[in-house]
Amino acid sequence: MDPSRARAQACPAPAPRSPPATRGDLRVSGHEIAARLTNTGTPVKEWLGVAPTGASFEITEYALYRVRDGRFVNMTNLQDTDTAREQLNN
């Protein structure tokens, strides 16, 4: 799979006001993709139990994907939602 295509498809995000700005590292090995991403956003509806206030967040996400026949068949991710919640509450 083309790494730029994988990067574009590998960015799940909460309901932000605009598309999230995402940057990070991407590694492709065979049928596996590993990504370290920085997700940012400004929620426009309740997210993580926090009402929208206009506050933004920036968190790190680590994601692992498996691809078979050009399709994602597995995704595992870890993101620091506690930090996002703290940023949105301040």
Side-chain angles (χ1 to χ4, degrees), residues 13-21 39-59 81 83-90:
R17 180 179 328 196
S18 58
N39 298 324
T40 64
T42 304
V44 295
K45 62 182 182 180
E46 184 176 303
W47 186 60
L48 300 176
V50 180
T53 63
S56 298
F57 68 92
E58 179 175 313
I59 58 174
T81 53
T83 295
R85 189 177 295 112
E86 288 172 13
Q87 293 173 9
L88 295 172
N89 277 318
N90 289 328

Side-chain angles (χ1 to χ4, degrees), residues 22-40:
T22 305
R23 61 186 185 276
D25 296 316
L26 183 69
R27 300 290 182 260
V28 178
S29 177
H31 296 282
E32 298 177 335
I33 301 167
R36 181 178 55 88
L37 307 165
T38 300
N39 298 324
T40 64

